[in-house]
Amino acid sequence: MFVDVLFDPFEGSWSDVRAGALLAEQAGFDGVWLYDHLAGSVHGASRVLECWTTLTAIAAAVPRVSIGPLVLNVANRDPGTLAVMAATLQEVSGGRLLLGLGAGGGLDTPYAAEQVALGRAVPGSKVRRQWVEDTVARVHEVWTGSAGGATGFLRPHPPPPIIIGGFGPKMAELAGRVGDGMNAPGGGHLGQLIEIARDAHARSGRDPADFIVTASSGPRGHQRLAELGVSRVIIYVRPPYADGVAQVHAALVD
């Protein structure tokens, strides 16, 4: 099981992210993830770094660890453009991208405010789930190199796995059916969500053993997650990131 860190980007600075990512690599962590948010105020902060730009900078500055967004709100970027962005970052990173996608929050969450502020719709959960499915389809189409009569779209080698974030059974089913993996909380319902996702993956004609499961966790209690079939455990780190990485590493080796 891989052990990754998630940097909370609210109030973070690039120099701090860079220092934390370099230390994470030196300490032996396997990946660095970032949340996808655009307005600091949705988390009570004065600022937030944009996810994709920061991941690209990490890929250039840190040569080994995997990188990924946890997860990209599909409402924030045009799906076709995102496909080319992902193919480009896969090349820049030397094949280290894990492409996390998600449906974003509904109007009952504070995170909807950043979409509303930028003139983007925030529909109900059913429509947002359909947007995720449509985005995955468009990404795969563009990755073939030809779409809508145009050719020469960048093709990633290898295609990065698409990891779909979800908290409930409907998103787990969607992740298994159209994605290559799923991200979910590491709580008591995780086993049920994994089972739903793997069953859907099998019904789509793919090997459920190849399905990637990432789960959020603290620095302890990984044995249960490994027994459930979690592929990567992701540990949350606040700024200053280097200090947080050092503390997590110390807890893991204690």
Side-chain angles (χ1 to χ4, degrees):
M1 186 171 64
F2 295 105
V3 180
D4 303 339
V5 289
L6 165 66
F7 290 171
D8 181 340
F10 292 98
E11 302 290 8
S13 67
W14 161 240
S15 60
D16 192 14
V17 168
R18 184 178 185 276
L22 286 168
L23 183 58
E25 180 178 63
Q26 295 166 10
F29 288 98
D30 299 296
V32 174
W33 301 77
L34 294 176
Y35 289 142
D36 178 30
H37 285 288
L38 304 174
S41 60
V42 302
H43 210 268
S46 63
R47 52 176 277 147
V48 62
L49 294 172
E50 192 276 326
C51 176
W52 198 266
T53 311
T54 309
L55 287 172
T56 304
I58 292 172
V62 185
R64 180 186 61 80
V65 297
S66 297
I67 51 172
L70 200 72
V71 287
L72 293 181
N73 181 350
V74 297
N76 284 344
R77 298 164 187 85
D78 173 79
T81 304
L82 173 60
V84 180
M85 292 165 62
T88 302
L89 185 48
Q90 183 73 327
E91 180 168 322
V92 169
S93 68
R96 291 181 283 144
L97 175 63
L98 299 161
L99 181 56
L101 299 178
L107 284 172
D108 59 338
T109 71
Y111 307 117
E114 58 191 3
Q115 287 178 235
V116 173
L118 298 178
R120 296 175 179 141
V122 187
S125 57
K126 183 177 180 179
V127 173
R128 298 201 319 277
R129 285 195 301 273
Q130 187 62 51
W131 283 0
V132 173
E133 185 167 355
D134 293 345
T135 295
V136 173
R138 177 55 61 88
V139 165
H140 283 305
E141 178 189 19
V142 172
W143 282 352
T144 68
S146 177
T151 60
F153 291 108
L154 188 64
R155 304 179 67 176
H157 299 289
I162 295 177
I163 312 296
I164 295 177
F167 292 87
K170 291 180 180 179
M171 285 301 294
E173 188 278 334
L174 177 63
R177 178 163 48 85
V178 306
D180 304 300
M182 173 183 69
N183 175 261
H189 297 294
L190 179 60
Q192 177 189 14
L193 297 179
I194 292 174
E195 183 178 358
I196 291 170
R198 290 196 190 280
D199 286 348
H201 203 67
R203 289 195 302 273
S204 74
R206 294 177 290 170
D207 186 352
D210 295 333
F211 189 72
I212 301 168
V213 177
T214 69
S216 304
S217 174
R220 303 187 187 278
H222 298 168
Q223 183 61 36
R224 180 184 70 88
L225 299 181
E227 291 171 354
L228 289 173
V230 170
S231 314
R232 312 184 76 102
V233 61
I234 303 175
I235 303 173
Y236 176 87
V237 175
R238 294 185 179 91
Y241 305 111
D243 291 349
V245 167
Q247 291 169 8
V248 170
H249 183 258
L252 288 171
V253 299
D254 184 13

